[in-house]
């Protein structure tokens, strides 16, 4: 099931709160993604005092089911990479009693964080999310 509009937000390094929380269509989001000042915000972060930094420059999209995709830029201006974070509820295995007993448990906030991605990888993740192709997202991220 594809979503026509999802909740969009931005994370800026020197701002504690999310910016531009609103609904965006896929086309509106692609435009925002392409024009987002990735390097400028990374430079702002690198030049700031550590105590003033709240997060890495990121774009985030969330649906009503608690699933979220986020892309962040990290590193140095001449050597940076993107992280793709995919938050979703899943059933996981857990061991107890020194690994003798394994059981399933529901993790409503499971998040995979995949480093060493490109800007295009991040856009691909968002497009899959907008299309509701969570199976492909699960395979890749």
């Amino acid at each position: 099931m594809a979503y026509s509009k999802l909740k969009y937000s931005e994370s800026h390094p020197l701002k504690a709160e999310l910016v531009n929380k609103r609904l965006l269509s896929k086309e509106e989001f692609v435009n925002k993604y392409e024009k987002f000042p990735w390097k400028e915000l990374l430079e702002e972060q690198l030049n700031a005092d550590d105590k003033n930094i709240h997060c890495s420059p990121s774009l985030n999209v969330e649906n009503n089911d608690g699933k979220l995709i986020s892309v962040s830029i990290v590193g140095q201006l001449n050597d940076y990479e993107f992280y793709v974070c995919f938050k979703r509820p899943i059933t996981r295995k857990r061991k107890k009693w020194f690994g003798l007993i394994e059981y399933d448990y529901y993790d409503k906030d499971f998040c995979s964080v995949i480093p060493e991605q490109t800007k295009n990888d991040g856009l691909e993740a968002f497009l899959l999310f907008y299309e509701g192709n969570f199976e492909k997202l699960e395979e890749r991220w």
Side-chain angles (χ1 to χ4, degrees):
M1 174 181 169
Y3 295 90
S4 59
K5 289 195 177 196
L6 298 171
K7 190 177 358 175
Y8 160 84
S9 61
E10 301 173 6
S11 302
H12 291 223
L14 305 181
K15 296 181 181 176
E17 301 295 321
L18 294 175
V19 178
N20 291 330
K21 265 185 129 166
R22 60 193 174 114
L23 297 176
L24 285 183
S25 69
K26 181 175 159 182
E27 293 75 23
E28 291 168 322
F29 175 79
V30 170
N31 189 39
K32 280 274 191 193
Y33 189 87
E34 293 298 331
K35 292 180 179 178
F36 189 69
W38 296 103
K39 288 185 184 178
E40 292 85 354
L41 289 173
L42 180 59
E43 183 175 21
E44 183 179 302
Q45 177 182 342
L46 293 171
N47 292 327
D49 189 346
D50 286 348
K51 67 181 180 187
N52 295 327
I53 299 172
H54 298 279
C55 60
S56 294
S58 306
L59 292 181
N60 319 291
V61 174
E62 184 175 5
N63 71 12
N64 292 333
D65 299 332
K67 294 178 182 159
L68 175 126
I69 197 89
S70 179
V71 173
S72 304
I73 187 171
V74 296
Q76 301 297 316
L77 286 178
N78 59 352
D79 184 27
Y80 59 86
E81 66 186 29
F82 289 83
Y83 276 54
V84 174
C85 303
F86 179 33
K87 179 185 155 244
R88 70 274 190 200
I90 66 168
T91 300
R92 300 173 57 188
K93 298 278 186 198
R94 180 175 274 172
K95 294 182 180 186
K96 72 177 193 177
W97 295 89
F98 304 105
L100 298 175
I101 299 174
E102 186 174 88
Y103 63 97
D104 291 341
Y105 78 100
Y106 184 72
D107 185 347
K108 68 179 180 69
D109 294 319
F110 180 77
C111 186
S112 54
V113 180
I114 311 300
E116 300 177 355
Q117 302 295 296
T118 66
K119 183 178 177 184
N120 287 337
D121 291 332
L123 182 57
E124 180 185 349
F126 280 119
L127 293 176
L128 290 171
F129 194 83
Y130 264 95
E131 294 164 4
N133 194 343
F134 302 118
E135 188 174 297
K136 181 78 171 173
L137 273 170
E138 191 70 42
E139 287 174 16
R140 177 103 189 262
W141 289 283

